[in-house]
Amino acid sequence: MAVALQERIFASERFDEALALEVFRFQASACEPYRRYIELLGLNPFEVTDIKRIPYLPVEFFKTHRIWSAASDLEPETVFTSSGTTGSETSRHYVASTALYDEAFTRGFGHFYGLAEGWSIFALLPSYLERTGSSLIWMVERLQAKNRACGGFYLYDHDKLTADLTAASQKGEKILLIGVAFALLDYAEYLSNQGIELHLPSDAVVMETGGMKGRRREVSRETMHETLKRAFGVGAIHSEYGMTELLSQAYSTGEGLFRCPPWMRVSTRDLQSPLQPLAAGKMGGLNIIDLANLYSCSFLAIQDRGIVYGDGAFRVLGRIEGAQLRGCNMLIE
C-alpha cells in the first residue's frame, strides 16, 4: 500500500485531499504512536471522510517516540536529528526512504526556483555543519551537487566566501546565498566592518533559514531582513521554512509570506482548543500536512503560531509560549 501511495505524492499540481485521507488511514494503522493517539481521541479513522477532521500529532512526539510507518523489519536509511539546546531532548526523524526525501526537496525547490542545476549555491550554516544528522545539510549538499561550477559551505570563512561570491558574480553565475539567520547577520557585520560592498547580480537570492540559535540577540524578521537587504544590496530576503520532523519545505520570496509545494498544506488551530481548526485569516497554532512524510507521520501540530490566508500562503508569528504539550505526550506514555 505504501509504495502505491508514494507513487502518487508528486503526481498532482494541486493538493490531493483524497490522497491525504488515504495516507491518514494508512498511518493510523501503521504508526503505533499515532494509532494510539487517535484511539485516545475516540476517533475511528475509517469514519474520517473530511481532512478537517484528521487529528494532528503534536510534533513533540518525535522527541519521545519512534514515529515510524514503515514495515517493522525495515531499518531506517538515515535518522535526522534536531539541534536542541544543552540538556534538552532532540527530535529524531527515522527516514525509511532517503530517495523520497531527495525527490521532495528537489521538486519543492524546483517548484519555486527552477532546476537546482541553474544555481550556484553558497551556504553559511555553521550551527548545522557543527553537528551530525542535519536534514538541512543533507538537502543543501545535494542541491549544490547538481551545479559544481561554484559554491559550497563556508562555515566562518568570510574572506573566502566574499572572494568566491565576487568571482561567481563576474562569471555571470546565478547565485543563491543560503544561511541561518545569525550567520548571515555575522557576515553582514563583517562586510560593514571591512568596508566591502558586494556587487551581486540582480537575480541573486539571499535566503535565511531562521534561527539565532543563542548566538545573537533575537530581532524581528522585519528588522533582520532590512539589515540583510542593505548588506547584500538585494530588494528582498527570501526564507525557507523547514524542520527535522518534515521532509518538505515552504519558501518565501519576500516579506515573510510562505507558500507550500502541492503536496504540503498548512492550516491553523485554536490555541485554547487544539483540536478545533480555524478559518483562514485567524491567528492560531500551525498544523502541517506533509505527504512526503509517508513513512513517519504526515499530520503534525507544530509549535509555531501564525496566520494562513485563503490562498494557502501563511506567515509565522513566532513560537507558542509553553509549547511543550506535555499533557498530550502523557496520553500515550
Side-chain angles (χ1 to χ4, degrees):
M1 180 181 182
V3 173
L5 292 173
Q6 180 175 331
E7 292 173 349
R8 294 166 55 195
I9 291 172
F10 309 112
S12 176
E13 289 300 312
R14 302 184 64 180
F15 187 82
D16 188 336
E17 294 191 359
L19 176 60
L21 284 166
E22 290 183 58
V23 170
F24 163 64
R25 294 185 188 112
F26 162 66
Q27 293 178 345
S29 173
C31 181
E32 179 66 12
Y34 191 40
R35 181 188 65 77
R36 291 167 61 196
Y37 182 68
I38 292 167
E39 286 180 352
L40 287 165
L41 293 176
L43 286 176
N44 180 343
F46 291 96
E47 293 179 354
V48 175
T49 58
D50 186 331
I51 65 168
K52 291 181 180 178
R53 292 192 60 213
I54 292 176
Y56 290 81
L57 187 72
V59 73
E60 286 78 16
F61 280 107
F62 280 79
K63 295 181 178 181
T64 56
H65 295 76
R66 181 182 170 99
I67 308 302
W68 182 252
S69 294
S72 59
D73 60 346
L74 188 67
E75 290 298 316
E77 292 185 0
T78 195
V79 181
F80 293 132
T81 58
S82 62
S83 54
T85 56
T86 302
S88 68
E89 295 174 305
T90 58
S91 293
R92 298 176 64 84
H93 193 166
Y94 299 90
V95 179
S97 171
T98 55
L100 178 58
Y101 179 47
D102 291 350
E103 186 169 8
F105 68 67
T106 300
R107 285 179 176 267
F109 183 88
H111 183 78
F112 295 100
Y113 295 101
L115 295 176
E117 288 85 342
W119 292 88
S120 291
I121 302 177
F122 299 78
L124 272 176
L125 299 166
S127 56
Y128 295 91
L129 279 174
E130 292 166 337
R131 65 178 182 84
T132 59
S134 167
S135 58
L136 179 59
I137 295 298
W138 178 291
M139 178 182 80
V140 174
E141 281 182 337
R142 283 151 183 78
L143 291 177
Q144 285 177 336
K146 296 178 183 295
N147 181 346
R148 298 184 181 275
C150 299
F153 290 91
Y154 291 85
L155 200 56
Y156 301 106
D157 195 344
H158 294 158
D159 290 336
K160 180 169 174 51
L161 174 58
T162 302
D164 289 354
L165 282 172
T166 300
S169 299
Q170 292 172 347
K171 289 192 291 187
E173 295 288 331
K174 196 172 181 181
I175 291 171
L176 168 61
L177 172 60
I178 182 171
V180 65
F182 79 82
L184 289 174
L185 288 170
D186 285 351
Y187 183 43
E189 192 172 272
Y190 159 84
L191 293 173
S192 176
N193 291 340
Q194 297 296 315
I196 298 172
E197 289 187 17
L198 280 180
H199 298 285
L200 299 178
S202 59
D203 61 352
V205 169
V206 177
M207 180 183 293
E208 52 92 2
T209 67
M212 293 301 179
K213 305 293 183 184
R215 305 289 187 99
R216 295 179 69 104
R217 180 175 58 85
E218 291 285 345
V219 297
S220 69
R221 182 186 296 272
E222 293 76 14
T223 299
M224 175 180 64
H225 282 199
E226 286 302 318
T227 300
L228 296 179
K229 283 191 289 186
R230 288 194 300 270
F232 300 121
V234 294
I237 300 299
H238 295 224
S239 305
E240 179 260 0
Y241 185 79
M243 59 192 67
T244 299
E245 301 87 354
L246 298 174
L247 295 186
S248 300
Q249 303 77 34
Y251 291 96
S252 165
T253 56
E255 307 303 327
L257 186 64
F258 291 92
R259 297 186 184 278
C260 299
W263 57 90
M264 184 180 179
R265 176 179 284 186
V266 178
S267 59
T268 49
R269 65 183 182 276
D270 191 312
L271 291 175
Q272 302 304 316
S273 181
L275 298 180
Q276 179 64 42
L278 296 178
K282 301 288 186 179
M283 190 279 289
L286 295 183
N287 289 339
I288 297 180
I289 300 176
D290 180 8
L291 297 181
N293 271 25
L294 179 63
Y295 298 107
S296 52
C297 183
S298 292
F299 310 92
L300 300 180
I302 305 301
Q303 294 315 306
D304 286 330
R305 55 187 176 86
I307 298 174
V308 180
Y309 300 99
D311 63 353
F314 67 99
R315 294 188 187 279
V316 182
L317 302 178
R319 298 286 289 174
I320 299 170
E321 293 184 7
Q324 292 288 329
L325 296 186
R326 301 224 178 254
C328 290
N329 281 351
M330 289 172 63
L331 285 174
I332 61 171
E333 286 180 346

